[in-house]
Amino acid sequence: MSISVAVSGASGYAGGEVLRLLANHPDVSIGTITAHSSAGSRLGEVQPHLHSLAVRELQETTVENLQGHDVVFLALPHGASADIAAQLPDDVLVIDAGADHRLEDSEAWEKFYGSAHAGTFPYGLPELPGARNALRGARRIAVPGCYPTSALLALTPGFSAGLLEHDDVVIVSASGASGAGKALKPHLLGSEVMGGMSPYGVGGGHRHTPEIEQGLGWAAGAPVTVSFTPTLAPMSRGILTTATAKVRTGSSAAQLREAWEKAYDGEPFVTLLPEGQWPATQSVLGSNAVHLQLAFDEHAGRVIISCAIDNLTKGTAGGAVQSMNIALGLTETAGLTGSGVAP
């Protein structure tokens, strides 16, 4: 029996990526697709790469248009998902790709997002300890932010194993311009982005900081303090995260590597690369893959982990589809690939 799926925000990058993956999913039939300003247009006008769905008409994003489906993906701007999710029936699987339901701490939400907290859904990052159990049978899922996906996958094994200090974590991530969405912004014009890099959200001001601290706190069993700096890289898609943390006295390079190997042994999409080989965003392009490498800087007493993901696939839509598969009892890898596109 085919699972009926509706996708909102289908004219944007995240919604378009969800549709790209669902179009090749063996267990899914794509029902209503919606947008805001593009409503009434053919999908092919705004997502010309989605050939099999090009003639489909974009509907208005309303609760009425999204009802009647088994699964609803909400690929909407932050603050726009909560009201719709609350009005959909409890037996519908609602997957929120926005930030509305990621944080447990209402004060952190209000500080970084400036609106009332809508509550918390199970967190859609299956590779975290205990996450799959929480996702099985779930009917509400919060898809992680793209930066937190890379940061949490990079650092969680060390905190789960008790090898890292909690108060000296530094994360620097470089993201492609698609991470800022499809809306026109002067600083994201090709002539502004190509050929250079720039930081933003410096000094603890980026909205993903509390989400990263929340996830690492789950792994550590205690609060973790993070200094997070995002940078804009001259590429369309991809994230390369470099995360470092102070290693607890007495821990060795062998113990560190063993912790990461154990954490991701058997994971279908996470690869700890052979020693000496470092991740590259091009290697995971278009895939749900995660490439990791670590090194122990004994002089500084720090572990350095590099993580590469595609921000639109594993960082958003791929993680959403993977979580849907788990929630519905489907094959976890259905509709997804771990192979990148090169060159």
Side-chain angles (χ1 to χ4, degrees):
M1 180 178 176
S2 186
I3 296 161
S4 175
V5 175
V7 178
S8 68
S11 61
Y13 289 137
E17 188 76 350
V18 170
L19 286 171
R20 181 178 76 87
L21 299 175
L22 293 179
N24 294 299
H25 196 296
D27 305 308
V28 160
S29 64
I30 298 172
T32 301
I33 54 176
T34 78
H36 178 52
S37 60
S38 299
S41 303
R42 290 185 306 105
L43 182 66
E45 296 176 42
V46 292
Q47 304 282 17
H49 63 296
L50 299 177
H51 309 295
S52 65
L53 301 169
V55 299
R56 300 286 294 277
E57 182 179 333
L58 291 163
Q59 307 295 315
E60 290 280 354
T61 301
T62 65
V63 173
E64 291 73 23
N65 284 337
L66 295 171
Q67 284 183 340
H69 297 83
D70 302 309
V71 182
V72 175
F73 286 87
L74 299 176
L76 301 174
H78 304 326
S81 299
D83 185 57
I84 293 175
Q87 295 181 66
L88 291 169
D90 291 342
D91 61 347
V92 174
L93 173 54
V94 178
I95 302 177
D96 184 5
D100 292 23
H101 301 95
R102 295 171 184 164
L103 296 183
E104 294 179 331
D105 187 335
S106 59
E107 291 185 10
W109 170 267
E110 291 168 8
K111 175 182 176 181
F112 282 85
Y113 291 92
S115 61
H117 187 228
T120 310
F121 291 170
Y123 199 63
L125 190 51
E127 293 83 3
L128 297 186
R132 283 189 175 87
N133 287 337
L135 291 172
R136 290 189 181 100
R139 286 300 175 264
R140 295 292 188 271
I141 293 173
V143 179
C146 52
Y147 284 132
T149 295
S150 62
L152 295 178
L153 291 175
L155 285 165
T156 289
F159 283 107
S160 294
L163 299 174
L164 306 179
E165 300 289 352
H166 298 174
D167 61 350
D168 190 8
V169 179
V170 179
I171 301 169
V172 178
S173 296
S175 174
S178 61
K182 205 172 185 179
L184 295 177
K185 303 177 182 73
H187 72 285
L188 296 177
L189 293 172
S191 57
E192 301 289 335
V193 174
M194 296 303 126
M197 289 187 65
S198 58
Y200 64 101
V202 182
H206 195 277
R207 289 173 168 179
H208 285 169
T209 301
E211 188 180 343
I212 295 170
E213 291 188 333
Q214 171 180 271
L216 295 180
W218 292 336
V224 174
T225 303
V226 169
S227 174
F228 171 57
T229 303
T231 64
L232 181 62
M235 57 188 181
S236 295
R237 53 199 290 168
I239 287 178
L240 184 66
T241 287
T242 302
T244 81
K246 197 80 173 176
V247 174
R248 288 189 167 169
T249 302
S251 300
S252 67
Q255 286 177 302
L256 290 166
R257 187 159 188 92
E258 182 182 5
W260 267 260
E261 288 176 341
K262 182 179 179 181
Y264 295 128
D265 181 41
E267 284 293 344
F269 297 114
V270 182
T271 300
L272 179 61
L273 298 172
E275 292 189 64
Q277 181 181 352
W278 288 88
T281 56
Q282 183 66 35
S283 300
V284 298
L285 186 68
S287 77
N288 205 49
V290 181
H291 284 186
L292 293 166
Q293 186 57 277
L294 70 146
F296 182 26
D297 182 345
E298 295 189 53
H299 173 72
R302 304 185 71 88
V303 65
I304 301 95
I305 308 98
S306 182
C307 175
I309 64 169
D310 185 314
N311 61 300
L312 294 179
T313 314
K314 181 56 177 172
T316 308
V321 171
Q322 185 181 355
S323 297
M324 176 195 75
N325 290 339
I326 295 170
L328 297 178
L330 306 174
T331 301
E332 184 172 336
T333 57
L336 301 168
T337 178
S339 298
V341 178

